[in-house]
Amino acid sequence: MIVAERKPLEEILRLIDGAKTVLLTGCGGCVTVHMAGGEKEVEVLASLLRLHYKKEDKPIKILTQTVTRQCEPEYVRELADNVDKAAVVLSMGCGVGVQFIAENFPKAWVVPALNTKFAGATLEAGVWAERCGLCGECILYKTGGICPVIRCSKSLLNGPCGGSQNGKCEVDPEIDCAWQLIHDRMKDLGKLDLLLEIEPPKDWSKARDGGPRKVMREDMRF
Amino acid sequence: MYSVRNGVRVMGEVKEEAGAAQPAFEPKIVAFACYYCAYSAADLAGSMRLQYPPNIRIVELPCTGKVNPQMLLKAFEEGADGVYVAGCMEGDCHFLRGNLRAKRRVKYVKGLLDEIGVGGERLEMFNLSSSMGPRFAQIAREMTERIKALGPSPVNRKARASAADEDAAGG
């Protein structure tokens, strides 16, 4: 899922400064699952904003609406009535949601309430970690299901660098060395020989380096 | 008397009474009390005829694990100057870990209140058992004293001041 984190309140307050009516909109997708921008988080942020403005004695109207997914047009369109009423749309969706609302409502001023971090997984309740670099050409079958592109700080494709110390990365002692993980797992699986194959330079044009990407499936189109 | 809202019993009303003159500051404090301990302790305090400040409004919960950030913030929005959550002693939760969950949520909301400038010290978590009637009264006194020292919640300060002004002008 896409993992995001709420911006500091101070920043959010700056983004909506001066607006008399704000539409605070949540997303029922990833951000609901990891409790960053779902219906409950919308309620909490709306409450905090109301407390702040009441404290400052400035009247403000906070409209709240959470849609099933902010990244699909039919759900985003459900926001139309409230978007019309609001001076600022504060989205608690990921970066995709913010952009997609803006795209669907050309006259709306849409700002993000979250900082979108990464595509990751839930390690345990309350802990999420990056797992996919969205590089466009998956090589996980070569590395025992551990991605060197995103989990190695240098995205090395042929073994660890000299900064691998006791299984940890030199960038941060909290980070596991991805190549140590890959080596250990391949050893356990009895497939160490697969690592002898030299991986040629990656074709980064399939990743973000090739410009914004698009997927189109003729069979799914109307 | 109590009303039922979202599955919790609410005793008294927290909403600001418009135009109420407040010569000395009497804080409004909401206590979210677990049915199995604090609520029974409050009952016991009553049976023992123990005196505690009338500033406390008790909301009965099936367990403090029912507490969520929205609930705590809502109390402040509705005019509370202080809020506390009273659950069972750690390790004694009827639902095993409800009070520990509440403890974390209270800590989280304290951070939010600091961030928004209301002040995390206006929110607290207490642990007691159903036999601790005197402790319940003591907590009510402690919290009332603390909030009196802090003064009205910054959220209510303006509303209170204008209500007092109107009253002064009218009377």
Side-chain angles (χ1 to χ4, degrees):
Chain A
M1 74 186 122
I2 304 292
V3 180
E5 223 175 12
R6 179 170 61 74
K7 283 179 179 286
L9 275 168
E10 201 191 339
E11 189 181 346
I12 294 176
L13 290 170
R14 252 197 333 269
L15 297 178
I16 61 169
D17 189 40
K20 295 270 180 271
T21 309
V22 173
L23 168 59
L24 179 56
T25 172
C27 175
C30 314
V31 290
T32 290
V33 180
H34 68 268
M35 293 160 278
E39 208 166 355
K40 286 182 182 172
E41 293 71 35
V42 162
E43 265 184 63
V44 170
L45 182 57
S47 196
L48 290 171
L49 295 176
R50 279 193 298 264
L51 281 170
H52 172 81
Y53 283 100
K54 209 171 161 194
K55 180 167 69 81
E56 302 291 312
D57 208 18
K58 289 181 190 161
I60 191 169
K61 197 168 176 194
I62 313 260
L63 306 168
T64 57
Q65 188 179 355
T66 300
V67 293
T68 308
R69 279 189 291 280
Q70 287 187 8
C71 54
E72 298 211 41
E74 57 268 47
Y75 298 126
V76 168
R77 278 187 221 118
E78 289 172 7
L79 293 168
D81 286 351
N82 278 333
V83 168
D84 280 348
K85 289 180 207 156
V88 177
V89 180
L90 180 60
S91 165
M92 290 197 92
C94 68
V96 180
V98 178
Q99 290 187 60
F100 213 52
I101 295 172
E103 224 168 299
N104 277 274
F105 300 102
K107 287 183 181 159
W109 181 245
V110 192
V111 296
L114 306 182
N115 288 323
T116 305
K117 300 273 178 179
F118 51 77
T122 311
L123 297 188
E124 57 181 271
V127 183
W128 299 272
E130 188 160 23
R131 282 294 181 269
C132 180
L134 315 171
C135 73
E137 197 171 41
C138 193
I139 55 158
L140 282 168
Y141 64 97
K142 293 178 181 172
T143 55
I146 296 164
C147 178
V149 175
I150 200 64
R151 296 190 64 187
C152 166
S153 301
K154 290 179 178 170
S155 295
L156 294 179
L157 298 180
N158 290 290
C161 68
S164 176
Q165 301 287 327
N166 305 317
K168 296 292 175 186
C169 175
E170 65 178 345
V171 167
D172 182 338
E174 291 282 302
I175 301 173
D176 288 321
C177 168
W179 276 102
Q180 180 78 50
L181 296 175
I182 293 169
H183 176 271
D184 293 351
R185 185 166 161 84
M186 293 300 253
K187 196 174 167 190
D188 288 348
L189 294 170
K191 290 179 188 288
L192 265 183
D193 54 308
L194 286 180
L195 294 181
L196 292 173
E197 196 183 320
I198 302 294
E199 182 66 18
K202 191 170 173 63
D203 177 4
W204 287 102
S205 72
K206 290 184 174 142
R208 183 49 200 94
D209 301 38
R213 294 163 284 177
K214 192 176 187 175
V215 171
M216 195 150 74
R217 272 189 50 187
E218 284 303 334
D219 59 319
M220 297 306 288
R221 304 186 74 195
F222 288 124
Chain B
M1 285 295 286
Y2 63 85
S3 55
V4 176
R5 274 190 222 152
N6 299 327
V8 293
R9 294 209 290 179
V10 180
M11 291 178 88
E13 274 296 314
V14 196
K15 296 225 182 221
E16 279 287 310
E17 289 135 25
Q22 309 225 345
F25 169 54
E26 283 301 333
K28 287 183 176 170
I29 298 170
V30 180
F32 290 96
C34 159
Y35 162 78
Y36 290 93
C37 52
Y39 198 80
S40 308
D43 208 16
L44 179 61
S47 306
M48 291 170 77
R49 302 283 186 269
L50 295 174
Q51 293 290 316
Y52 61 87
N55 307 65
I56 313 296
R57 273 78 168 164
I58 301 175
V59 179
E60 181 197 340
L61 300 178
C63 169
T64 50
K66 168 81 181 149
V67 156
N68 60 34
Q70 299 96 296
M71 203 183 259
L72 300 175
L73 292 171
K74 187 82 184 160
F76 283 103
E77 261 192 74
E78 297 281 351
D81 297 296
V83 173
Y84 65 90
V85 178
C88 301
M89 304 299 284
E90 288 187 13
D92 285 346
C93 175
H94 187 80
F95 301 98
L96 306 177
R97 286 184 299 275
N99 53 354
L100 300 177
R101 294 203 166 111
K103 184 184 175 182
R104 288 201 186 138
R105 288 174 203 155
V106 165
K107 192 178 164 201
Y108 171 67
V109 177
K110 270 173 166 278
L112 293 178
L113 291 171
D114 279 335
E115 210 180 343
I116 208 75
V118 171
E121 65 276 14
R122 291 181 181 276
L123 174 65
E124 204 52 77
M125 170 98 199
F126 294 98
N127 299 90
L128 72 172
S129 78
S130 57
S131 61
M132 295 162 86
R135 174 70 182 138
F136 181 88
Q138 189 194 356
I139 288 170
R141 280 194 298 273
E142 257 176 55
M143 204 57 193
T144 307
E145 286 313 310
R146 183 196 291 192
I147 304 299
K148 271 187 178 168
L150 287 169
S153 154
V155 178
N156 307 331
R157 230 165 255 167
K158 289 238 164 65
R160 283 234 164 90
S162 57
D165 286 349
E166 273 171 34
D167 216 58

